[in-house]
Amino acid sequence: MKNIKKIIIIMVCCLLVLPAQAQTKSEKNGWRLGIQSYTFHLFSLTEALDKTEELGVKYIEVYPGHKLGGKWGDKVFDFNLDLQTQKELREFAASKGIKIVGTGVFVTDNSADWEKMFKFAHNMKLEFITCEPALKDWDLVEKLAKQYKIKVSVHNHPKPSDYWNPDNLLNAISHRSKLLGSCADVGHWRREGLDQIDCLIKLKGRIVSLHFKDIAPKIEGEKEQYDVIWGRGILDVKSMLKELKRQNFKGVFSIEYEYNWNNSVPDIKECINYFNKSIQQLK
């Protein structure tokens, strides 16, 4: 009986050590795993923070318009949020061991909105704004990024987005500040017929953050290639991590899991486990 108890204790310890070792290796790489709150858009932001805490994830990127819920009711996360609520929201997240590191995807045709967004990001102590700026606004966006010292992480929605192809983004920013870079949505690239590894290679030195995921193979008659648990799809997660390590990328992997919307936490736990195991295998 004593031997059985010892074996059980050893097994439990081993299970605890692996995530800890993976976390240490992740931190050495300068990698942080976060949640893109759109993953939980059917729930309020307070509920999304509860789920993020349950997952053991310490960072979150909040999409503009996410209803706050809780004591804030129908207020939403955007640049119209009053300073007191901003402060309370930061403190609420911190009480759960979570930092709000970014917001996005922000899109506007009104140039005047950019000053409001950068002020909001500054007050919320955000590291980056995930966005798809109008081509006419790049001088303004670059100026504000330098002024507020906040990174601009450009997302790649599918066509007709100006940034569906990394070449288009590089044409817009290659001569500009290093504060401007890519929010690499690896799933959208593949859905547009691009190779996600090739896209990461092209953007070396310009990747600010990622909307990280794995997706199903293209099936005839299906409208879209849906998200799957990491390692079970076609994006070759391990090769993407290997390439990002080769580049010495440092930043946030935002988990954007757009499937099984009502009960995605168990799936995301499996994604995180796969991520941790894959990091352990990196040389």
Side-chain angles (χ1 to χ4, degrees), residues 26-40:
S26 179
E27 289 171 352
K28 281 183 179 178
N29 290 338
W31 295 356
R32 290 171 289 162
L33 201 58
I35 287 285
Q36 162 51 246
S37 79
Y38 192 75
T39 298
F40 302 128

Side-chain angles (χ1 to χ4, degrees), residues 52-158:
T52 302
E53 181 183 28
E54 181 184 348
L55 289 163
V57 173
K58 300 181 183 301
Y59 305 96
I60 192 167
E61 173 190 349
V62 183
Y63 77 87
H66 201 154
K67 188 170 77 172
L68 302 188
K71 73 175 187 176
W72 302 291
D74 290 335
K75 286 186 178 181
V76 299
F77 191 89
D78 67 12
F79 55 60
N80 295 307
L81 206 58
D82 61 276
L83 290 174
Q84 181 60 30
T85 301
Q86 290 181 36
K87 179 175 180 291
E88 290 173 358
L89 190 58
R90 290 198 311 274
E91 291 172 349
F92 179 75
S95 73
K96 296 178 173 297
I98 300 167
K99 177 174 173 52
I100 303 173
V101 290
T103 183
V105 177
F106 177 65
V107 180
T108 182
D109 287 323
N110 183 358
S111 300
D113 287 343
W114 282 106
E115 179 84 42
K116 298 173 186 175
M117 175 52 81
F118 273 93
K119 281 184 178 178
F120 173 64
H122 174 74
N123 291 334
M124 284 295 295
K125 306 184 189 307
L126 306 183
E127 297 176 20
F128 58 86
I129 299 169
T130 304
C131 54
E132 293 187 7
L135 294 174
K136 65 181 174 62
D137 286 334
W138 270 116
D139 288 345
L140 172 62
V141 171
E142 181 180 30
K143 172 179 170 288
L144 291 168
K146 290 177 179 178
Q147 178 182 335
Y148 287 96
K149 296 180 174 57
I150 293 171
K151 292 180 180 180
V152 173
S153 192
V154 182
H155 184 260
N156 51 286
H157 272 121

